[in-house]
Amino acid sequence: MVEFTAAAAVSVIVTRLKAVFATRDFLFHDGNSLRRISLGAKRQAAMAAIGAVTLGFSGYGAVAAAGAVEPADTDAQIAQMQHQIGQMQQRVATIRETAQAHAQRVDHRQALIAAALTGTGDAKALALATPSIDPAADKLAADVVKPFVKVEGHQVQLASVAQKLLDQRYADTTATVRQLGLRPERVAKHQRAMAMGGPLIAANSEEATADLRADAQFRTLFQTWKKLDTLQQGVIAIPSVQPVHSLSFTSNFGIRSDPFRGTAAMHAGVDIPGPIGTPIYATADGIIAHAGRQGGYGNMVEISHGKGIATRYGHLSKILVADNARVTRGQLIALMGSTGRSTGSHLHYEVRIDGHAVNPVPFLTTADYLLAAQDRAVNAIPVSTSGPAAQD
């Protein structure tokens, strides 16, 4: 039964092979004539056998090759690929960090230029050192940071313009302060040195040298801005606005004929006439050192402005501030009157430096520039606007 079944199976296989490898005719045209080629069953079978053997050897070769790769070699290849990927990731991170450093530097420089042009800015933020950029990393990220580099070039040009503007402002401010008999060094608010630093990167290329020159230029711009800002902060202490809306004088500073005795006497201030009840305003920021009766002054207010500078307002009909109160320039402090040693309603106004009376007129006639400087200095600090503005 088994032998019959095996013989039957062989017969079936042979029958199928004959069907597969039946004689086939092919038509072939060689360009000149049409030829018929017959491919018999035996020949087809031989070709199939050769193909099978070839395929078998190919499969064996692939298996052998696969078997030849040891696990250790595979691990080495994977490690090498991971190393290459790590290097690529590091390059990408370097490019990203370099671009961020350029962006931060552009923002920092722009804030400094804006501060120089407007007179306002955050000194602490501006004092921070700009990010240092490694020349090698900059070269790697050259294509990415190209737009930032272009902007930085424009900023260098703007910095030159801003530097000239700051130098002129500082010269004008110091000249005005000196005209008032004050030393700029004394008026300038005390300033602690700003902390600056950063890693040292050698300028071993033309690009790096230009970058360091630009950094030095912006550091100089900051130092000039800070020096001017410090002086302008001190200028706040200098009397600048008019103590009354309508300014005129009935008696000037210096030696005059005393109105009561008719003899020569020193007049320590200026007399500004006006009706009783005329508003009187503080001419600079300060603290009330005295608010009450004071001998021949009658009702008198004295304001200490710091830097040894003080102002006095005498013959008042009413005092509107109290001792030790803080006032701002232009703030209403009293009403005009004729108390004390006075022949009629007026304001006796004095400016004193280190306790000595000086001529108030220069402080009033130079008020325009001082007001502009003070406005830049106070920036967002609320200031009373009810007081009189300076008049030509």
Side-chain angles (χ1 to χ4, degrees), residues 276-293:
I276 292 178
T278 298
I280 307 297
Y281 304 96
T283 56
D285 292 9
I287 297 175
I288 303 299
H290 178 82
R293 293 292 292 196

Side-chain angles (χ1 to χ4, degrees), residues 250 256 258-260 271 315 337-346:
T250 54
R256 68 171 183 176
D258 182 77
F260 290 94
D271 290 339
H315 310 309
S338 186
T339 57
R341 198 168 184 269
S342 171
T343 60
S345 179
H346 73 285

